Amino acid sequence: MRKNDCIKWQVNQQTVQSTQTSTMRAVYVLLCLALARDSSCNIVRHQLNPHMDTLDVNTMDYVDHRQHQTEKEMKSTQHTSTSQESKEHYNYDDISDYPSAYRTVKNWNAPLFSTVITQGDQVPYGDVIEWRGVKIAAGPNSPVSDTKEIERIFRDAYKTVQHVSEEDKKKIHDVFQQAIVSHEADLVYNATQLLKLHKYGFEEHVVKTDDGYYLTLFRIKSKQDTLDVKQRPVVFLMHGVLGSADDWLLMGPEHSLAYLLSDAGYDVWLGNTRGNKYSRHHASKHVHHPDFWQFSIDEIALHDLPAMLDYALKTAEQTKLTYIGHSQGSTVFFALLASKPEYKEKITIMYALAPMVYMTNVRSPLLRMTAPSSQFYERLFSELGHGQFQPSKELIHTVGGNMCEWEIGCKHICSNVHFVMAGIDTAGMDYDFIPVIASHLPAGASTRQILQYAQGVASHEFRKFDYGLDINKKIYGHHQPPQYNMTEVNVPVVLYYSEEDWLAHPRDVERLHKELPNVKEFYQIPEEHFSHMDFQFSKRAPELVYKRLIESMKNY
Ligand SMILES: *[C@@H]1O[C@H](CO)[C@@H](O)[C@H](O)[C@H]1NC(C)=O
Ligand SMILES: *[C@@H]1O[C@H](CO)[C@@H](O)[C@H](O)[C@H]1NC(C)=O
């Protein structure tokens, strides 16, 4: 049996890795299977070994829960199945690309989750379908009957995964152990604490959007306080999907872009989108209520971004700013500029790092699996819920976590949805730094944000959020959501991308490049393995990305 390195921090290493435990676990799983729905399983397990990982137990609860859910789903689809009338109006070229509304819910009684079946032979719901460490449980009615679909989804991600040697697996494991022991400040510090620690002056601002969200902005003042902040050109930094302002600060002075820009004489502003750790208040909606989370990339682009940009310019008493967006930070910029061209007057130049606009070639298994064109879509869609994007442990495992564990062998990395979605290039980072990232990300996002990217995988276009045919018709006046037209984004743009990015594939960035009317630089990072997150966290990012970027800014 494979051993799981880098187990949870608080768990005693030896206990979990011993073969005795493996045997006990196998016995326990058999017991659980025998008891199936019996809740006493929990208690039995506890007596066997209190240190054992809890995955198996949760999974048994989960099986019950899923069956119950599926029955409910089946009933409710019968009631809400689409009417004949709207079916006649349906007129798309490729129906297979279209989401749920016209596709029947599949009667798939198998749990999707590989954790149920990690013991190999003991499968309660049919065959295990396995492809290079990715395991999916399939029941009698599963839409997935062989490895082809799994392979199709995971293949491209696999090609870019770096092999981690056993020795390095152990090193990664050790830094997690070490990090928790030493309680490093970096592990828990938020943006303001980090700025204070490094003796940068800062201001914290709160801006209210026109739809009631309160967003936090950070403004970095010069370290020496010698330069008058008013003389400094404004540069606005927008974090990526599941991120926060922290991402621009975590590597510290002389490494992270925010400090480097401040040192280079800029008035640096860091944005935070609704729903991340710094922007969780609303005039009337409570963050623990699903209402708070009913937003997609569209709302961030059309409400958050204008509110933040206008506020920064007004406060700095300037008319133009330089915009730097990583990942989703670039998505929302392009959506805003395509929708409100008047914003072009406020932009000196825009730098897109790993721009996510077209998703056709995305490598991330999570986004490929949750795409409406995927055979897993129906199942995952109901599993993801309708509020904050907080997939369960089992779900994370299935959409890439088990592949990650197979390769990196670190549960703590591979249960973090941010790493699982964006991929991780362990070789490009200082190992000591990985726990720091893991403790700051994910910083919060809505399920709709993720789904909107996944919809782009199926539609091959950059469209507004797809609510399904009927609601689209009511909201947009068409069955299909409108497109954001990239040829209308008429501002100077610089695109930085990398060959092995899981989220911003070079071919998709190339398409964006062709459509944008005013691209000043189209630059591939000259490093063979440079991942989506490396734009913010690689030890080589200052040299490969930031130096060039700051040089380039001087020309505009
Ligand atoms: C950061 O943490 C400190 C200490 O907990 C807290 O006082 C401060 O308000 C936090 N800053 C932000 C922006 O949340
Ligand atoms: C996008 O805008 C351009 C120029 O305004 C126009 O020619 C083109 O037809 C538009 N494309 C779409 C898909 O609307």
Side-chain angles (χ1 to χ4, degrees), residues 342-405:
E342 64 271 22
Y343 271 86
K344 81 172 192 210
E345 306 301 335
K346 305 184 183 189
I347 305 298
T348 308
I349 184 163
M350 185 278 193
Y351 290 85
L353 313 181
M356 287 175 77
V357 168
Y358 295 114
M359 306 304 295
T360 304
N361 297 293
V362 76
R363 293 185 176 104
S364 169
L366 188 154
L367 292 182
R368 298 210 77 86
M369 278 181 114
T370 47
S373 51
S374 153
Q375 295 185 17
F376 300 101
Y377 174 73
E378 308 290 353
R379 207 50 193 244
L380 293 178
F381 182 79
S382 57
E383 201 54 47
L384 286 172
H386 307 285
Q388 189 177 353
F389 181 63
Q390 275 180 321
S392 66
K393 237 180 346 184
E394 291 83 359
L395 189 57
I396 293 171
H397 218 67
T398 298
V399 296
N402 54 7
M403 171 177 118
C404 166
E405 230 176 287

Side-chain angles (χ1 to χ4, degrees), residues 483 485 487-488:
Q483 279 184 40
N485 190 339
T487 57
E488 313 244 307

Side-chain angles (χ1 to χ4, degrees), residues 378-507:
E378 308 290 353
R379 207 50 193 244
L380 293 178
F381 182 79
S382 57
E383 201 54 47
L384 286 172
H386 307 285
Q388 189 177 353
F389 181 63
Q390 275 180 321
S392 66
K393 237 180 346 184
E394 291 83 359
L395 189 57
I396 293 171
H397 218 67
T398 298
V399 296
N402 54 7
M403 171 177 118
C404 166
E405 230 176 287
W406 183 264
E407 292 298 326
I408 300 173
C410 177
K411 270 199 177 151
H412 203 81
I413 292 177
C414 301
S415 60
N416 183 314
V417 70
H418 187 266
F419 289 129
V420 167
M421 182 175 79
I424 175 171
D425 161 30
T426 47
M429 291 174 195
D430 280 323
Y431 287 167
D432 290 344
F433 186 56
I434 297 174
V436 178
I437 307 171
S439 62
H440 285 85
L441 287 158
S446 73
T447 299
R448 278 192 193 166
Q449 281 168 256
I450 307 300
L451 285 175
Q452 192 168 357
Y453 282 120
Q455 290 169 356
V457 179
S459 74
H460 307 297
E461 301 294 346
F462 181 24
R463 294 182 183 280
K464 289 199 172 187
F465 187 77
D466 191 337
Y467 295 90
L469 299 173
D470 293 343
I471 300 175
N472 286 345
K473 179 85 181 155
K474 286 195 188 104
I475 294 179
Y476 305 126
H478 300 280
H479 287 309
Q480 240 175 337
Q483 279 184 40
Y484 290 112
N485 190 339
M486 290 299 101
T487 57
E488 313 244 307
V489 180
N490 200 2
V491 291
V493 170
V494 169
L495 303 172
Y496 287 1
Y497 66 101
S498 65
E499 183 56 39
E500 296 199 342
D501 194 324
W502 270 24
L503 298 177
H505 193 286
R507 276 205 296 277

Side-chain angles (χ1 to χ4, degrees), residues 283-304:
S284 61
K285 296 171 186 172
H286 194 276
V287 66
H288 293 309
H289 195 279
D291 271 1
F292 179 93
W293 297 96
Q294 302 314 307
F295 57 83
S296 65
I297 296 165
D298 304 332
E299 281 78 19
I300 295 171
L302 303 177
H303 299 281
D304 292 2

